[in-house]
Amino acid sequence: MSSPPKPPAGGGEAWTDQGKKNSRRITACSLIVDGFDYFKLYLATCCNHCYVYLVKNGLTWLERIFWFILIAISHYASIYIAMQSIDRFLTKNAYMGIERDYFSWNTSLPSLTICPMERLDRELFNAYCQSHYITGKNQDDLWDLLEHLANSTYMNFDDIPNHSSLERTLDKLQLKPNKYMELIYNLTVDHTLNPVDKLRIRCIDNDEYIHSRQVLTEYGLCYLTNNNIDDRYSSKYLLFGEMPEPNEYEIKHNVRRIQTGSYPDKYIDFNFIGFQSPIDVYAHSSYEVMKVDNNYGYTTENLYYEPFSPEITTDHNFETGASVRQRNCRFSHESNLTHFPVYTKNLCLQECRLNLVYKVCKCIPHFYPNRLRNPKPVCDYKTLRECMPQHESYFLKLYRERPNSNKLDMAPCYCEQNCVGSVLSLKVSLYTRSKQLYGSYGATMTEKEWPTVRYKREIYLTFTDLMVNIGGSAGFFLGFSVLGAIEIFYFFTMRLLFHLFGYKL
């Protein structure tokens, strides 16, 4: 018989350390074996399908491999279908339905934005020049510059004058580019507040007023009526962060926010009038704002619109029942924009455009709201003349063709749809000699053909539906259930604890 090994002479401490390592190794192996046996016990007794065949006595390895492959395929199919359901719930959880009970609807008429071609008030400008000692040719050149800036947009930046006297005048006034729009606002009269009725810009339906306001657009200061967006979308709020004062002349009348009608009505209309100079008119949804490249154009005649505008509405729990990511649309109060306090798709496109302009020209035009903690630099009139016309098409379309390539250079921009809106089609004609009738320029909107269909956004999957879909696929492929999940938790917590304390299972 061989005798047990003796510790080496003078190496007692090394022998003790080696014995401790062997003891720990034996303990670790014992724990692994016990853990594996406990896991086999779970597979043999759990309620889920077919796991028992992986550990059941009397089966060959070929049978065990066969069942392992089937279980793996079932797990993959269950997880794949569950992930599809989760993705649909998180990113595609809305669909568009159609309603046809049109006798009970109230349809909103489209909105109008009108930009007068003469912006500045001559008396206010003369008083400003007098207080700053600007006279003669310098005064005329300054008027020419400010009037062009007030009427400037992407299609006409190259019309901005470049008189030799302007630099000295602007230095004398200490008029920096970031103050251009503020000065234009102060030199422009808000004609919705004009005390003279015939000179007041107003929207009327017989003796009733429809709310109108001055707004800041990509074409400068314009006037908006018959619109559902709240009054934060106004020139005063966008420039100074102050809500516009109530219009006392509207308050005296039976003012309404928006003009609506229904199928039994023969026709509904309104007149947006009071403009004393030629106008540029933009018609759009009452849930949207104007697009600067989608207008009728300069006109010296009143316009007559006949719209056809099926609306897009939402289910009663659409906003609370799904997030923006789930429904892929936004309500106007859910703004994620930096420069605008409300959200519409066109305002989002405006923000994409100003960011593109900033990237290309290193500044933005003066007509954008810029009340930020770190405001972007505003372009001076020379940069507007030199940089903007070179990239006019790129800025308006937000894409351009690459040189010597069929590929498009797309501006980085992603804008969700409006959750509520309308699909607008228009017939437009000139309303000749109407200035003699109304005493001013303007436009008339008359709805004669009422839509008989309406689109409705609804939630596709609720959280309960998601759980049913996941549970159904898990049950179909694996025989899995809520009780099966509870069994896993129980088996590896409470029952494992009892097992460790020595209770027999």
Side-chain angles (χ1 to χ4, degrees):
M1 294 179 62
S2 61
S3 58
K6 296 180 180 180
E13 290 183 3
W15 178 262
T16 303
D17 292 341
Q18 184 66 30
K20 289 180 179 179
K21 290 180 180 178
N22 291 336
S23 177
R24 284 197 295 268
R25 189 178 295 113
I26 292 171
T27 303
C29 291
S30 177
L31 288 175
I32 292 173
V33 170
D34 288 345
F36 182 72
D37 290 339
Y38 188 79
F39 183 68
K40 286 172 62 178
L41 178 64
Y42 168 73
L43 294 179
T45 59
C46 72
C47 64
N48 295 321
H49 289 178
C50 303
Y51 289 171
V52 65
Y53 293 113
L54 299 177
V55 295
K56 189 175 182 179
N57 294 328
L59 297 182
T60 65
W61 279 105
L62 183 62
E63 290 175 297
R64 297 182 197 277
I65 292 172
F66 170 75
W67 282 111
F68 178 80
I69 293 173
L70 288 182
I71 291 172
I73 293 173
S74 297
H75 275 85
Y76 173 79
S78 177
I79 293 172
Y80 179 77
I81 293 175
M83 294 304 295
Q84 281 191 324
S85 298
I86 292 172
D87 178 69
R88 191 179 300 114
F89 176 76
L90 293 178
T91 61
K92 307 177 185 70
N93 198 18
Y95 71 96
M96 193 86 76
I98 295 178
E99 293 184 317
R100 294 186 177 274
D101 53 338
Y102 49 86
F103 280 98
S104 61
W105 300 341
N106 278 326
T107 301
S108 302
L109 267 68
S111 182
L112 286 175
T113 299
I114 297 184
C115 301
M117 294 294 97
E118 296 177 7
R119 312 292 180 102
L120 303 185
D121 182 87
R122 178 64 76 169
E123 292 183 4
L124 291 176
F125 175 78
N126 291 339
Y128 173 79
C129 290
Q130 185 176 359
S131 65
H132 291 82
Y133 306 104
I134 306 296
T135 58
K137 186 178 185 301
N138 292 341
Q139 181 175 343
D140 294 337
D141 291 347
L142 181 61
W143 169 270
D144 194 21
L145 173 66
L146 293 178
E147 183 67 14
H148 274 87
L149 288 175
N151 283 279
S152 62
T153 189
Y154 289 96
M155 287 80 77
N156 62 5
F157 278 127
D158 51 356
D159 293 336
I160 295 175
N162 188 19
H163 302 300
S164 58
S165 66
L166 287 175
E167 283 299 319
R168 294 191 303 273
T169 303
L170 295 179
D171 289 341
K172 181 178 180 180
L173 295 172
Q174 296 184 347
L175 184 59
K176 304 298 181 182
N178 61 344
K179 296 295 182 181
Y180 284 172
M181 199 64 233
E182 182 178 335
L183 177 59
I184 291 170
Y185 176 86
N186 291 330
L187 298 181
T188 303
V189 174
D190 184 353
H191 288 287
T192 62
L193 305 175
N194 197 312
V196 181
D197 186 68
K198 291 184 178 181
L199 301 179
R200 186 184 313 127
I201 292 177
R202 60 205 184 277
C203 183
I204 55 174
D205 171 27
N206 294 323
D207 293 330
E208 295 184 344
Y209 271 54
I210 299 166
H211 180 53
S212 305
R213 51 186 140 150
Q214 187 188 66
V215 294
L216 181 63
T217 73
E218 289 182 307
Y219 202 4
L221 295 173
C222 301
Y223 295 89
L224 172 69
T225 193
N226 200 62
N227 197 273
N228 281 295
I229 302 173
D230 70 58
D231 283 343
R232 287 180 296 168
Y233 180 65
S234 63
S235 56
K236 189 170 186 179
Y237 189 89
L238 294 179
L239 287 173
F240 307 107
E242 301 175 5
M243 294 297 289
E245 60 273 11
N247 189 327
E248 59 180 297
Y249 306 105
E250 290 184 353
I251 294 174
K252 292 178 182 178
H253 296 77
N254 186 17
V255 65
R256 62 179 67 172
R257 183 82 186 182
I258 196 164
Q259 182 81 307
T260 61
S262 59
Y263 190 82
D265 296 317
K266 185 177 181 180
Y267 71 91
I268 294 291
D269 63 1
F270 64 76
N271 298 297
F272 194 23
I273 55 177
F275 298 89
Q276 302 304 313
S277 65
I279 55 177
D280 197 356
V281 185
Y282 300 79
H284 48 87
S285 166
S286 59
Y287 302 93
E288 257 298 354
V289 302
M290 58 167 272
K291 290 180 64 177
V292 73
D293 56 342
N294 187 19
N295 61 328
Y296 179 82
Y298 178 91
T299 178
T300 57
E301 297 286 353
N302 290 29
L303 296 181
Y304 181 79
Y305 287 96
E306 288 186 27
F308 180 73
S309 53
E311 288 196 317
I312 302 172
T313 63
T314 63
D315 198 13
H316 67 281
N317 63 338
F318 187 76
E319 181 179 352
T320 57
S323 66
V324 173
R325 182 188 176 196
Q326 288 175 296
R327 42 182 151 91
N328 291 312
C329 68
R330 288 182 182 273
F331 291 91
S332 63
H333 60 272
E334 296 177 323
S335 179
N336 64 337
L337 306 178
T338 304
H339 291 258
F340 299 95
V342 295
Y343 182 87
T344 73
K345 185 177 180 181
N346 285 349
L347 287 178
C348 179
L349 292 174
Q350 288 186 30
E351 186 147 305
C352 292
R353 187 174 294 116
L354 73 86
N355 287 327
L356 178 61
V357 173
Y358 178 65
K359 179 180 178 181
V360 174
C361 298
K362 310 306 178 187
C363 58
I364 63 173
H366 55 284
F367 45 65
Y368 287 116
N370 201 21
R371 294 188 305 104
L372 310 178
R373 179 173 296 179
N374 296 310
K376 294 181 175 65
V378 178
C379 302
D380 61 24
Y381 70 96
K382 290 183 179 180
T383 305
L384 294 175
R385 280 174 50 89
E386 295 165 2
C387 183
M388 302 295 171
Q390 300 178 40
H391 310 282
E392 174 188 331
S393 177
Y394 186 29
F395 292 156
L396 287 174
K397 296 178 180 178
L398 298 176
Y399 69 86
R400 63 184 173 187
E401 294 184 0
R402 294 179 182 176
N404 303 321
S405 174
N406 293 326
K407 295 183 178 179
L408 296 177
D409 187 6
M410 304 291 295
C413 183
Y414 177 73
C415 295
E416 288 100 353
Q417 297 288 337
N418 301 330
C419 288
V420 181
S422 60
V423 182
L424 183 61
S425 59
L426 293 164
K427 296 178 183 178
V428 59
S429 56
L430 289 176
Y431 202 176
T432 57
R433 298 182 181 179
S434 56
K435 189 175 188 300
Q436 290 81 355
L437 176 63
Y438 295 116
S440 61
Y441 298 104
T444 298
M445 184 74 67
T446 302
E447 184 109 25
K448 294 181 177 179
E449 184 180 358
W450 296 101
T452 56
V453 296
R454 185 170 70 175
Y455 305 99
K456 188 174 185 179
R457 297 185 190 272
E458 299 185 67
I459 295 174
Y460 181 71
L461 284 174
T462 64
F463 185 74
T464 303
D465 297 328
L466 176 66
M467 297 303 295
V468 170
N469 286 355
I470 295 175
S473 61
F476 179 75
F477 287 104
L478 304 171
F480 192 77
S481 65
V482 174
L483 290 178
I486 295 174
E487 182 188 37
I488 296 174
F489 177 78
Y490 158 75
F491 208 92
F492 290 97
T493 55
M494 185 184 300
R495 192 169 183 185
L496 177 61
L497 186 64
F498 291 151
H499 177 70
L500 293 175
F501 278 113
Y503 289 91
K504 293 184 177 180
L505 303 177

